[in-house]
Structure formats: C-alpha cells, structure tokens
Amino acid sequence: MSNATGSAAIPKPVLKRIDRRIGDLRIRLKLMVFHNVFFCLLALTIYLSIIPTLEVHLNQAYQRESLLLRDLLATQARSTTASGILSHYVLEQGTPAELGMPDDVREWTNAHPGEVWFNPEKSSYLYHRDRSSELYRRLKLPHEVYRKMLADARWTLTWVLLATYVLGVLVLEFFVLPLYVYRQIRLLLDADRATTAGDREHELVPESEIPDDELGDIMRSRNETVTAMRRHEAQLAEALEQLQTVTEDLRRKNEQLEAARQNLVNQDRLASLGLISASVAHELNTPLAVLKGSIEKLRESTEGRLNEERLARMARVTDRLKSISSQLLDFARVRKTTMEPVAVAQLIAECWELVSIDDKAQQVHFWNLVSPELQVQGNRDRLGQVFVNLLRNALHEITVSGNVWVRGSLSLTRRDHLVIQVEDDGPGIAESMLPHLFEAFVSTRLDAHGTGLGLTVAEGIIQQHGGAIRAYNRAEGGACLEVTLPLAGSSVPAPNQAPLVQQVS
C-alpha cells in the first residue's frame, strides 16, 4: 500500500515543475505557445472530422456506382442507353484467357449466363457472359478514381489548414497581439521602470495611449496611484521639515506612504490578472464562434419532412434519456410514483418508434393489435421502459422479415386486469433458461443486447404496479412475454418507490 501511494505521488512534483516552467515564460512566448497549440488542435480536429466522413461518403458513392455499372452491364445488350453510358468506362470483350478471367469467375459466369459477376472486395472488375452471343465482357470499376479523389482531398485539406494556420499566426503575432496586447504591456513596463528609476517625467502612461479596455483601466488606476504616491511623498517631505514640531503629522504621512506603496503592489498584481484575462478571452472567442456557426448552419440546412421526423424522434429519445438520467441521479432517494390512466395501444406505438431507430426494425413486420380503448393504471415513463425493453428483445431475436405482435385482452382470472402479450416468431427461449429468465446477473438471457434495464428490473417495475410478468414459448414457434397490469380505475396505490437498480441485489 505504501509503495502504491508513493508511486501515485511521483507525478505531482513533475506537474509542478511543468506548471512553473510555463508560468515563467515571457508573456509573448507564452501566448505564442498557447495559440500555436490551439491552432494545431483545431486543425487536427477539423482534419479528423472531415476526412473520415469524406472517406465514408466516397466509399458509399463507389459502391453505388459499382451496383449501377453491374446493372447496366447486365442490360447492355437490350439497351442503347446502357451502351452509351458504358462507353465512358473501360469495357473489353473476348475469350476468358484474353480477359484474364480467374478460373472461379469463368466457372461462375458459365453457370450463370446473362448475369454479372460482382465482388468489389475481391476484384475491381465486373465480368459478364452474354447469353446470346456467348461473348465474355470485362468492365473495370473506377476504384482508382475514388482513391485519387480521397488522396487529393487529404492533400488539399492539409494545405488549406496549413495555410490558415500560417495566416492566423502571422495575423496574431504581427498585427493583433502587438497592436492590442503587447503594446499596452510595454507601456506599463516602461512606466514601471521609470518609476523605479525616479524618472518622474515618464513614470505615467500618457492618457492618449490608454485604451478603453481592462488594460486601460489598470493603466488609469496605476497613474492615479503613482500620482497619489508622489503627492504623499511631497507631503511627507514637507512634514520632515517640520519634524520637531509636527511629529504626529510625520507619522501619519509615513502611514499614508506605506499604504500608497502597498496599493501600487496590488495594482501590479491586477495588471497580471488583466493579462491572463485577455489571454483567456482570446482562447475562448474562436471556439465559441465556431460552435455558434455550426449550430446556425445545422438549423439552416435542416429541411424536409423526413429530417423533421428524425429530429422529432431524436428529441423523444433525448427526453427518454433525460428521464433515465433523472432516475439514476435519484438512485438513493425515496420518492412517490405518479399513477394515471395510460392508453396501452398508444404507449406500444411510441415504444416501437423508439425501438425502430434500429435499421433492422425497417425490415420486420410489427403488429400492434391492442384495442385503442384499453387503458391500464400506471406510470407512463416506467411502463415505457418495460415495453421498450421487451420490444427490443423481440426485435433482436427474430430474423429479417420476421414478425412481432402485441396483443391485449382482459385477464380470465382477474377481470380488473389487462393481459398484454409481446410475441415474436424467432427461435424461442431455451428451455434451460426459462426458469432463470428474470434472475439477476444471468448474462445469456434475452436482454443481453437490450436497453440495459434488464428483465430483472422490468419485473420489478411491473410488480410495483401491482402486476406480473412471465415468459413462455409459443406453440407456433417463437417466444411470448406476457405482462399483466391493473386496468385504469382500479385501486392501485402508488408505492414509495425504492430505486429500481436495488432490486437486482
């Protein structure tokens, strides 16, 4: 333990030395270091933000063009338009040996005449065997064009960033900082040297040279302090001449002099603080402007119903994340849950909208068969967490073009309760897992890829609503998660809810 403590304390002296080294730098060198580091980080951030995105879009464009060329090559014999388009590409025809066709590709085209062999990961060529003329064709994909575009973009962005960096440094070092920072600092230092040397003619900063900023305020305050100090010195000299008759007056003048000197020291410290404030303001202006511009650009460029729907969905997801965050912050608190009538069909539809952010949701069939009139008594947010988890589990288990059903019916055993069934036609639940499905820390249960709430927590939410949840396999295949909840209007007191996460322990 002592060795660990000692090793952890080693970096502190190093950090102090680095801090002292930077603090001891002259103002100009310090600002040069700061704005050079800032420009380098900004340029690196811009480069890493643009190039990967551009590379992704170019790859997507290459894939789209490859698919289009595949379709055009397949229809060339029947379409003059396709032939005209393909004339802009390298299209060859001949025997397999002349075209350099690999054996496996030749066998494939012989087995699939009229179709196009296409594998961009293996080859940059498309191969086709004409069904009528028995000719073999080879079309070269424009892979090198896209690679050159990406390389040109990298070099162009690098040179633009470098030129911007050099221009920014030149403007700062030879115009902005010398004119608006270094000049004022030099005036203060020259006035201080004159004060130290007793040069009263040059110890005050000329009023015409004082700007109307924080440095200007410090200069005016310093001038007033030096003037007051000189006035006190004159009064002190007069008091010294009358030392023997006005001893008390001399002591008072000395106290005033000491106070004036101390005030001067404090003003010098304020000058240093003013310089630091100017540096900080300079460092913050650029990133704040970039951030504001990015936000305005996003607002201006967002249009279309699809984008509006996506933004609305993002807002709903954000609200859900805020709700979950609020529950996590209230982890150790005991608070009362608000119970109210909740329309089940509407709740299921909203939960599926959240789940359908997953691309797979667009390829499956979802059936919300709950009657719009059915309502349960509960907390909308917490029930939403449960059904998002169950729907996501079902989506994860089914294959593409699979089905997810949600049904609602009155309970046969408890007429004041509603039974909600979330069903899928996936592989179902392993029989060995059914008895342990709602146990904590079972890593192979259905919700291993869910929202993170877990079926254990979902069971806790349902129990707090006076309901129950169970799982079983359907006779037709697939799984069913059955939730039983009190109908709206039932007498279900809202419990003083302990944190849900604690139910896992």
Side-chain angles (χ1 to χ4, degrees):
M1 182 64 68
S2 61
N3 291 337
T5 303
S7 61
I10 289 176
K12 292 183 179 179
V14 176
L15 293 176
K16 288 183 178 179
R17 285 198 297 270
I18 295 175
D19 180 71
R20 182 60 183 269
R21 290 285 182 89
I22 295 176
D24 289 342
L25 294 176
R26 305 294 290 179
I27 292 295
R28 181 163 191 168
L29 182 57
K30 192 181 300 183
L31 291 178
M32 288 177 62
V33 171
F34 288 161
H35 69 63
N36 274 277
V37 169
F38 168 75
F39 274 128
C40 290
L41 290 176
L42 181 61
L44 182 61
T45 301
I46 294 174
Y47 184 91
L48 295 179
S49 299
I50 294 177
I51 292 301
T53 303
L54 179 61
E55 186 173 2
V56 169
H57 286 293
L58 287 177
N59 286 335
Q60 293 175 348
Y62 173 71
Q63 292 293 332
R64 288 194 296 269
E65 186 172 356
S66 299
L67 293 174
L68 178 61
L69 292 176
R70 181 194 65 181
D71 297 339
L72 290 174
L73 184 61
T75 60
Q76 180 190 13
R78 303 187 302 273
S79 172
T80 57
T81 303
S83 300
I85 295 175
L86 292 178
S87 65
H88 298 286
Y89 295 86
V90 180
L91 178 62
E92 303 170 297
Q93 63 181 15
T95 65
E98 293 173 344
L99 298 179
M101 293 178 62
D103 293 338
D104 57 338
V105 177
R106 179 175 53 79
E107 293 174 359
W108 189 94
T109 54
N110 289 335
H112 303 81
E115 299 184 17
V116 177
W117 182 89
F118 173 64
N119 190 343
E121 297 181 356
K122 183 177 179 181
S123 172
S124 59
Y125 290 95
L126 299 178
Y127 293 96
H128 173 258
R129 179 188 174 191
D130 188 74
R131 190 187 301 272
S132 59
S133 63
E134 301 296 321
L135 287 176
Y136 292 88
R137 294 186 177 89
R138 183 179 72 176
L139 178 65
K140 186 175 182 180
L141 297 174
H143 178 69
E144 292 297 325
V145 174
Y146 284 93
R147 188 167 64 178
K148 185 176 183 300
M149 290 172 62
L150 181 60
D152 292 344
R154 285 175 174 163
W155 278 107
T156 301
L157 182 59
T158 300
W159 283 110
V160 169
L161 291 175
L162 181 60
T164 303
Y165 164 77
V166 173
L167 180 62
V169 170
L170 292 176
V171 170
L172 283 174
E173 284 301 316
F174 295 97
F175 178 74
V176 176
L177 292 178
L179 185 60
Y180 297 106
V181 179
Y182 300 152
R183 184 168 176 271
Q184 285 75 13
I185 296 174
R186 190 177 301 109
L187 289 173
L188 279 172
L189 293 176
D190 291 344
D192 281 342
R193 293 192 192 97
T195 302
T196 303
D199 183 2
R200 300 195 176 190
E201 183 179 354
H202 300 97
E203 67 180 3
L204 298 179
V205 179
E207 187 64 29
S208 61
E209 300 289 344
I210 299 178
D212 287 328
D213 57 6
E214 289 82 1
L215 285 174
D217 294 339
I218 295 173
M219 290 178 177
R220 292 189 183 91
S221 178
R222 182 194 173 280
N223 281 354
E224 294 173 0
T225 302
V226 172
T227 301
M229 182 186 68
R230 295 309 183 190
R231 184 173 62 252
H232 296 327
E233 287 179 348
Q235 294 173 355
L236 179 59
E238 183 181 351
L240 288 175
E241 294 177 359
Q242 303 174 2
L243 179 59
Q244 303 205 348
T245 58
V246 286
T247 304
E248 287 299 321
D249 184 61
L250 178 60
R251 183 172 59 84
R252 182 175 58 84
K253 295 298 183 181
N254 285 332
E255 291 175 354
Q256 291 177 351
L257 177 61
E258 185 61 29
R261 288 176 178 172
Q262 185 61 43
N263 192 21
L264 180 60
V265 172
N266 292 336
Q267 294 303 322
D268 289 337
R269 294 176 63 186
L270 287 177
S272 298
L273 290 175
L275 295 177
I276 296 174
S277 299
S279 174
V280 172
H282 169 71
E283 295 290 335
L284 289 178
N285 279 340
T286 301
L288 287 176
V290 171
L291 178 59
K292 181 178 178 181
S294 300
I295 294 174
E296 293 296 330
K297 186 175 181 181
L298 179 61
R299 294 181 61 187
E300 294 172 0
S301 61
T302 300
E303 57 184 17
R305 179 179 179 184
L306 180 59
N307 287 334
E308 292 177 358
E309 291 177 352
R310 289 178 176 173
L311 289 175
R313 184 180 300 171
M314 290 171 63
R316 287 194 293 273
V317 173
T318 302
D319 291 338
R320 171 168 165 74
L321 291 176
K322 288 181 179 179
S323 176
I324 295 175
S325 176
S326 176
Q327 295 168 23
L328 293 176
L329 291 175
D330 292 338
F331 177 76
R333 299 178 185 172
V334 177
R335 54 190 176 90
K336 195 173 183 64
T337 301
T338 302
M339 296 292 188
E340 59 184 359
V342 178
V344 178
Q346 182 182 359
L347 177 64
I348 295 298
E350 293 175 358
C351 293
W352 180 254
E353 285 189 16
L354 296 177
V355 174
S356 63
I357 294 175
D358 192 328
D359 293 338
K360 183 179 178 181
Q362 310 302 324
Q363 307 174 41
V364 303
H365 304 288
F366 173 69
W367 311 88
N368 186 356
L369 305 178
V370 181
S371 175
E373 300 86 25
L374 293 177
Q375 294 184 337
V376 295
Q377 190 74 9
N379 182 274
R380 188 179 191 87
D381 288 339
R382 298 195 178 280
L383 292 179
Q385 295 174 18
V386 172
F387 287 108
V388 165
N389 194 24
L390 299 184
L391 290 172
R392 191 171 181 82
N393 290 342
L395 177 63
H396 176 262
E397 290 301 313
I398 64 177
T399 59
V400 175
S401 300
N403 294 275
V404 177
W405 298 272
V406 181
R407 313 177 195 272
S409 60
L410 295 177
S411 174
L412 298 178
T413 57
R414 305 172 67 181
R415 301 299 297 178
D416 59 345
H417 280 64
L418 181 69
V419 176
I420 306 167
Q421 297 169 319
V422 179
E423 303 176 348
D424 63 69
D425 57 0
I429 307 170
E431 293 296 331
S432 60
M433 292 303 303
L434 276 174
H436 311 287
L437 195 61
F438 297 100
E439 294 180 5
F441 309 116
V442 178
S443 60
T444 57
R445 62 179 186 265
L446 287 183
D447 62 346
H449 295 82
T451 62
L453 293 174
L455 291 178
T456 304
V457 177
E459 183 185 37
I461 295 175
I462 297 301
Q463 290 176 352
Q464 288 167 0
H465 283 72
I469 182 172
R470 70 187 185 98
Y472 58 88
N473 288 318
R474 302 168 63 238
E476 309 91 326
C480 176
L481 275 296
E482 183 179 280
V483 177
T484 303
L485 290 169
L487 287 168
S490 301
S491 179
V492 181
N496 288 330
Q497 182 179 337
L500 293 178
V501 180
Q502 292 181 349
Q503 297 179 18
V504 178
S505 58

